[in-house]
Amino acid sequence: MNLILFGPPGAGKGTQADFLNKKYGFAKLSTGDMLRAAVAAGSPLGLQAKEIMAKGQLVSDDIMIGLIRARIQEPDCTKGFILDGFPRTVAQAEALDQMLMAEKKRLDHVIELQVNDSELTQRICGRFSCKKCTAGYHDTFKRPLKDGVCDECGSTEFSRREDDNASTVAKRLDAYHAQTAPLLPYYDKENVLISIDGMADIEIVTRQIEEIIGGAGKLAAN
Ligand code: AP5
Ligand code: MG
Ligand code: ZN
């Protein structure tokens, strides 16, 4: 099962991809996570990406396509993968189609999480994550079971993303509407697009996704 979780910043792509990765073992391919790891490592890519991400703009297609081309060939992708944050431009989508053809893989579903802009800003501005295991939380919508302690690993250290402030969020939303939303008709034409209500509670969104992946999810979990 190969999926794209599609949607604007804060739509819940990472939250749902983490869940599907844990439950079904599909590889989570998050280009945002890859770039943040490069920034943390201080690599040449990280140094280049840091400034662009802080401005809420998109990193170049060449770099992003190269990252995914390498990642998609790793062994954990054979069971299936979930793309989170890629593709974000028509050029990236076209390159992905070519890569999949070369690898004899196909895209089963592009699942669009529909959420309105004011809700997105609220979600992003309340987000934080565990410094040790990266588990994601929210000040209001997803607090750790015990305040200040990560549910997953027990760590007490958390961090917030540098681009999670109101002014950068506005720019990220502009980039989404101008450069990424045009992919919706692209995938609609390929007959793989399914749009779901991303405004619902996290567990309800999960259930909608599990209904879409249906039997394939059950098979992968066994
Ligand atoms: P990236 O890391 O991909 O960020 P994004 O697309 O802006 O998406 P987010 O990670 O902010 O949101 P999400 O949809 O994962 O939401 P989450 O599950 O965390 O990209 C960052 C930057 O990297 C880009 O701006 C760009 O510069 C660069 N980049 C990355 N990929 C690129 C590419 N392909 N090309 C070019 N540049 C690229 O949820 C958000 C919060 O809401 C959480 O706190 C969560 O707990 C909560 N929440 C989730 N679901 C719900 C719900 N149903 N109800 C209530 N709360 C919820
Ligand atoms: Mg994310
Ligand atoms: Zn943790």
Side-chain angles (χ1 to χ4, degrees):
M1 173 67 50
N2 301 322
L3 301 176
I4 295 178
L5 286 183
F6 192 92
K13 305 181 294 291
T15 302
Q16 299 298 335
D18 279 337
F19 174 85
L20 297 170
N21 166 263
K22 248 182 254 153
K23 181 160 176 186
Y24 301 113
F26 303 137
K28 176 192 176 195
L29 313 188
S30 161
T31 41
D33 288 352
M34 292 176 202
L35 293 172
R36 281 182 289 279
V39 171
S43 68
L45 164 62
L47 293 176
Q48 208 181 328
K50 189 175 166 52
E51 225 173 286
I52 300 171
M53 292 167 83
K55 285 193 210 147
Q57 296 170 351
L58 297 186
V59 174
S60 81
D61 286 336
D62 284 355
I63 290 177
M64 302 315 302
I65 291 165
L67 279 178
I68 287 295
R69 178 171 285 126
R71 183 65 185 86
I72 232 163
Q73 294 176 23
E74 287 181 25
D76 63 333
C77 292
T78 46
K79 195 170 180 182
F81 58 77
I82 307 153
L83 283 162
D84 157 17
F86 184 96
R88 261 177 150 96
T89 62
V90 172
Q92 291 179 19
E94 288 170 349
L96 176 66
D97 278 345
Q98 285 165 9
M99 274 178 235
L100 292 174
M101 222 191 300
E103 295 282 316
K104 299 200 169 48
K105 292 180 199 271
R106 70 185 182 109
L107 209 48
D108 294 285
H109 306 288
V110 176
I111 302 176
E112 181 204 5
L113 307 175
Q114 290 184 325
V115 182
N116 67 37
D117 283 9
S118 64
E119 166 86 9
L120 295 169
T121 308
Q122 209 189 335
R123 283 190 192 176
I124 292 176
C125 293
R127 170 169 54 190
F128 61 99
S129 65
C130 172
K131 257 191 177 172
K132 193 170 163 204
C133 75
T134 74
Y137 296 98
H138 190 279
D139 291 329
T140 313
F141 307 128
K142 193 176 180 243
R143 301 190 63 85
L145 296 171
K146 188 168 176 232
D147 265 347
V149 182
C150 174
D151 297 346
E152 305 291 330
C153 76
S155 168
T156 53
E157 286 190 79
F158 296 90
S159 63
R160 289 179 192 260
R161 271 169 50 177
E162 267 179 45
D163 58 346
D164 280 355
N165 56 72
S167 73
T168 309
V169 169
K171 292 186 192 120
R172 285 160 59 195
L173 284 172
D174 288 346
Y176 174 78
H177 291 301
Q179 289 166 276
T180 308
L183 287 181
L184 291 166
Y186 180 93
Y187 284 120
D188 195 28
K189 239 186 259 163
E190 290 193 0
N191 280 320
V192 285
L193 179 67
I194 302 181
S195 300
I196 63 173
D197 177 18
M199 299 282 289
D201 287 348
I202 294 176
E203 296 72 25
I204 294 173
V205 175
T206 303
R207 221 177 303 145
Q208 296 180 76
I209 296 173
E210 288 190 296
E211 267 168 35
I212 295 167
I213 65 174
K218 281 190 204 111
L219 266 180
N222 287 327

